[in-house]
Amino acid sequence: FQAEDGIRDSVASRGLGDVYKRQTGISPKRIVVYNLWRRFDKDGVDTPFAVCDKRSVSDKELIPTDLFNYLPDQPNALTVEICQSSHSDSHKWYFYPEMNRDEVLMFKTYDSEEKPFIPTLHSAFDHPDTPEGVSPRESIEVRAVCFFD
């Protein structure tokens, strides 16, 4: 399946570092983005969350894709570049079955010091062994952008 992931090397050139500099007067030497993912549904079974071991991903497999903010009241919102990936039998995927609301998965989706940066591909997916009648997945994903000077 196609999995989308975090922000690529162009994040700084797309203005994230510039926005930080305008607001703080500091030009960041490093930008790191972490994603945090958490479930809220009752049983944690429907469409589990999976991550791919980035050591099994090649930069050549990544497909840069722009992610736009489509909220009508935020026409000037920041556009970021995420990655999709072509399929590869070498990808090593791991998933978190029956994750509960007290667990949070945190993973890195961008680091300006890593060249080339290979993101942590991630996706929820339809597991073929999901039993009938489970509660639908309810989850939230948050990005924490860290600036280092």
Side-chain angles (χ1 to χ4, degrees):
F1 56 90
Q2 295 279 320
E4 64 94 14
D5 190 336
I7 305 169
R8 296 206 9 111
D9 289 327
S10 68
V11 70
S13 67
R14 289 182 176 252
L16 194 53
D18 294 337
V19 170
Y20 182 76
K21 183 177 181 180
R22 274 196 312 273
Q23 292 179 353
T24 66
I26 299 169
S27 199
K29 292 183 176 78
R30 181 180 182 197
I31 301 172
V32 179
V33 180
Y34 294 97
N35 281 35
L36 295 95
W37 193 84
R38 181 178 178 198
R39 294 190 77 114
F40 292 99
D41 51 290
K42 181 176 69 173
D43 47 33
V45 176
D46 185 44
T47 54
F49 192 71
V51 293
C52 185
D53 183 339
K54 70 186 244 171
R55 297 169 297 183
S56 69
V57 178
S58 162
D59 189 45
K60 296 177 188 85
E61 299 162 349
L62 300 176
I63 304 163
T65 307
D66 284 338
L67 178 65
F68 299 97
N69 184 339
Y70 291 109
L71 298 175
D73 62 334
Q74 297 180 16
N76 297 321
L78 183 68
T79 299
V80 295
E81 185 176 87
I82 62 170
C83 287
Q84 295 183 336
S85 173
S86 56
H87 172 77
S88 173
D89 289 334
S90 68
H91 289 172
K92 292 186 171 121
W93 285 91
Y94 301 91
F95 76 99
Y96 295 83
E98 299 180 39
M99 202 171 164
N100 67 56
R101 66 182 67 199
D102 295 324
E103 298 172 311
V104 174
L105 181 63
M106 181 175 171
F107 51 96
K108 190 186 322 183
T109 56
Y110 177 74
D111 189 332
S112 63
E113 286 191 348
E114 295 180 27
K115 304 285 186 207
F117 180 75
I118 304 294
T120 305
L121 302 174
H122 60 281
S123 182
F125 69 101
D126 294 323
H127 194 291
D129 297 334
T130 301
E132 295 279 330
V134 298
S135 59
R137 177 177 57 98
E138 295 177 25
S139 62
I140 187 169
E141 184 173 351
V142 176
R143 292 184 182 179
V145 181
C146 304
F147 298 97
F148 300 89
D149 61 2

